[in-house]
Amino acid sequence: VRVRLTHNLLLNYKLYRKMQVFRPRCANDEEIVQFHSSDYVEFLKKVSPDNYKDFLHQLQKFNLGEYTDCPVFGDLL
């Protein structure tokens, strides 16, 4: 949702005309752990919309889930 809103703002205000757009690439684990703890990265690899109820403690610890602005969705990492 946030990305879609941002994209719409860029289009509606024609800000994309003043931007240089780069295609992202997937970061590897070594790059990700430069910014996130390894336990958080491992958690993201395991959690999914199908099994998130098995990770209630970790969801609260990492502030993810249904009642946050960071929902669990498939293929997080």
Side-chain angles (χ1 to χ4, degrees):
V1 172
R2 288 182 282 184
V3 172
R4 191 175 316 127
L5 290 172
T6 303
H7 184 258
N8 286 338
L9 285 169
L10 291 169
L11 292 177
N12 290 323
Y13 285 103
K14 298 179 178 34
L15 294 172
Y16 63 91
R17 293 178 179 172
K18 299 177 186 239
M19 296 175 61
Q20 199 173 12
V21 178
F22 298 93
R23 292 204 183 276
R25 65 170 179 78
C26 290
N28 62 40
D29 286 358
E30 186 177 302
E31 293 168 323
I32 293 171
V33 295
Q34 291 178 10
F35 301 95
H36 302 286
S37 66
S38 56
D39 59 333
Y40 178 66
V41 172
E42 291 305 313
F43 164 71
L44 292 179
K45 289 179 181 179
K46 296 175 188 172
V47 72
S48 73
D50 297 328
N51 70 5
Y52 75 94
K53 290 183 180 177
D54 298 335
F55 295 96
L56 294 178
H57 177 69
Q58 290 95 333
L59 288 170
Q60 185 175 11
K61 175 181 175 182
F62 297 121
N63 196 33
L64 292 168
E66 197 172 358
Y67 301 107
T68 70
D69 68 343
C70 298
V72 173
F73 53 91
D75 299 321
L76 284 170
L77 284 182

